[in-house]
Amino acid sequence: MQNILELKNIGYSYHSLHGETRALQDISFGVRQGEFIAIVGPSGCGKSTLLSIIAGLLAPEEGTIKVNNPDGSLHYPRIGYMLQRDHLFEWRTVYRNVTLGLELNHKMTKERLEAVERLLTDYGLDKFRDKRPSELSGGMKQRAALIRTLALEPQLLLLDEPFSALDYQTRLFVSADICRLIRAAGKTMIIITHDLSEAISLADRIIVLSGRPAVVKKELTVKLTLADNSPLAARNAPEFQQYFNELWEDLTHES
Amino acid sequence: MNPEQNRTEQNKPEKTSGRKKPSRELTKQEEFIKNHRRHHHEIASWRTVIFVLFLALWEISAGCGWIDSFFFSSPSRVARCFADQLRNNSMLSHIGVTLFETLLSFLLVLLFSLLISTMLWYSAKLSEILEPYLVVLNSLPKSALAPLFIVWLGTGTKTIIVAGMSVAVFGSIISFYTGFQQVDAEKITLVYTLGGSKRDAFFKVVFPGSIPILLSTAKVNIGLALVGVIIGEFLAARRGLGYLIIYGSQVFQLDMVITSIIILCIIALGFYKSVQVIEHQIKKRFKM
């Protein structure tokens, strides 16, 4: 598969009066169509900065991101960004929350709204369309946030520790659930996580960043023998522990 | 919300014990509601008792000559004064003038402070530049400005409205702006990631997210506007309750002064309650 995005020698520093903090240095990797990439690394190493750069919210100080669309066009892939918390607005109903992106882009067209309807039905939220976010469970909120992101039909989804606000049990189910839905929608995804098990169970490829300034320490392709499709299947795969140990080694042998 | 929870939590055990004793014993929920009502009745009765006692004590002390009713007036004299003023038609117009001026300056304060705090939110640089000026203007005793307003704007409604605004507007700008800034920065990032502009961030997140703060600031502001209007009327009016107070004290008709003060109390209460009702309606509508 061809790379749709190619990051080349990305570097970024934060500046303050006390000096310069180098966050990212010489980061290079490619993103293939339909691939799930997990980025792991010690906390504060600049994972979120990297995601903001890919999303176009920050401009890299060094390096380039090369676009390589299959159809040869040069437009940057449409990005869907999911933040740590769902950030559904309490003053809007669930329906008005999931259509927020369309509203902001003046794209409340018939086809788009029909697509939203389908997602609401598929994700079991159509009964809750007129409820307020506080009336939803944690998992339903994440699903609503996913619909809000998917409504804009992004090609590349960026998830910045999207499940870290959930309790452990909910998190196991929601992360598997959301990733299954994204895979079913045929999207490409980059997820940041500090949970190694989550990274191994969700991703096709794991990129390990070092501590500050972050460089790509390792790229690991994950291949698991899956017994079934349950959220825990990946964690019970025979290769799981091996990958886990390998990542653990990388992250702990930091100094 | 609370009584709901109580019902679901407490109804279950009651069902079983209620079957044993089908008498007129209250369920826990009924008891809770009864206690709640009793509490409210109790508060309301105490409030009334204090009010009536105060009036009675005042009337009796004046009647028995413990206080000089020429200086301290009495409820009956206040009532008579009010009736007289009503008869020669001046009281209603004085009340109307003060009400109108207060409402107008309140609305102008809302408008101005919304406008300016929005501008400050849009430009972080502007807010940084203006911060010391706002702080100084906010802490300045506004009554010190009133004589200037008279010289600049003459004696009339204009001066009084400006005086009314001056008391509330700077504090209100600061509160609104602080409210805007307290909105979760990640929610704003969310709008940007969905392709929204800074304008969208304001109208979709910052403004709706700070409505509770806007409402509570409005509740304070209506009182402040009344303060400012009365200061203005003291100095520069021929009509209004503030004028009536000054006039009454100058001709030594203290009945008139005290009557006006009591009416001001009622107006202040009325304003506060109306804003509260509006606040309640808005919160109910947006389920906040």
Side-chain angles (χ1 to χ4, degrees), chain A residues 213-226:
Chain A
V215 296
V216 178
K217 210 170 170 189
K218 173 177 256 173
E219 284 192 45
L220 189 67
T221 308
V222 182
K223 278 213 158 42
L224 297 174
T225 325
L226 290 183

Side-chain angles (χ1 to χ4, degrees), chain A residues 85 87 89 91 103 105, chain B residues 184 186-187 194 204-205:
Chain A
R85 284 179 291 144
H87 288 299
F89 299 161
W91 54 86
E103 190 183 315
N105 287 281
Chain B
D184 192 341
E186 271 207 2
K187 286 202 160 65
L194 290 173
K204 308 286 182 199
V205 178

Side-chain angles (χ1 to χ4, degrees), chain A residues 55 57 79-81 83-92 100-101 103-106 130 132 135 148-149 152, chain B residues 183-184 186-197 200-201 203-206 208-210 285-288:
Chain A
L57 292 173
I79 302 282
Y81 200 111
L83 298 153
Q84 289 196 12
R85 284 179 291 144
D86 53 73
H87 288 299
L88 297 168
F89 299 161
E90 197 51 40
W91 54 86
R92 286 169 170 250
L100 176 69
E103 190 183 315
L104 291 174
N105 287 281
H106 310 288
D130 294 322
R132 300 283 156 169
E135 296 171 86
R148 181 180 58 197
T149 312
L152 285 169
Chain B
V183 170
D184 192 341
E186 271 207 2
K187 286 202 160 65
I188 296 172
T189 311
L190 172 82
V191 169
Y192 292 143
T193 63
L194 290 173
S197 59
D200 290 322
F203 285 104
K204 308 286 182 199
V205 178
V206 174
S210 26
R285 185 142 172 238
F286 293 94
K287 292 194 186 164
M288 284 186 294

Side-chain angles (χ1 to χ4, degrees), chain B residues 106 109-110 172 175-176 211-225 271-272 275 279:
Chain B
F106 168 68
V109 163
L110 280 192
S172 154
S175 310
F176 283 3
I211 282 178
I213 292 175
L214 300 188
L215 288 171
S216 64
T217 309
K219 220 157 41 174
V220 176
N221 279 345
I222 188 110
L224 289 178
F271 275 145
Y272 184 83
V275 178
E279 182 185 18

Side-chain angles (χ1 to χ4, degrees), chain B residues 14 16 20 24 36 40 46 53 61-62 74 91 107 127 142 153 158 160 168 211 243 256 261-262:
Chain B
E14 271 313 306
T16 49
K20 275 184 224 158
R24 304 240 313 114
H36 184 76
H40 273 265
W46 274 113
L53 269 182
S61 338
S74 72
M91 187 50 98
L107 291 177
S127 71
K142 262 41 113 205
L153 300 167
K158 228 189 295 173
I160 292 160
I211 282 178
Y243 163 75
M256 195 191 276
I261 292 172
I262 289 173

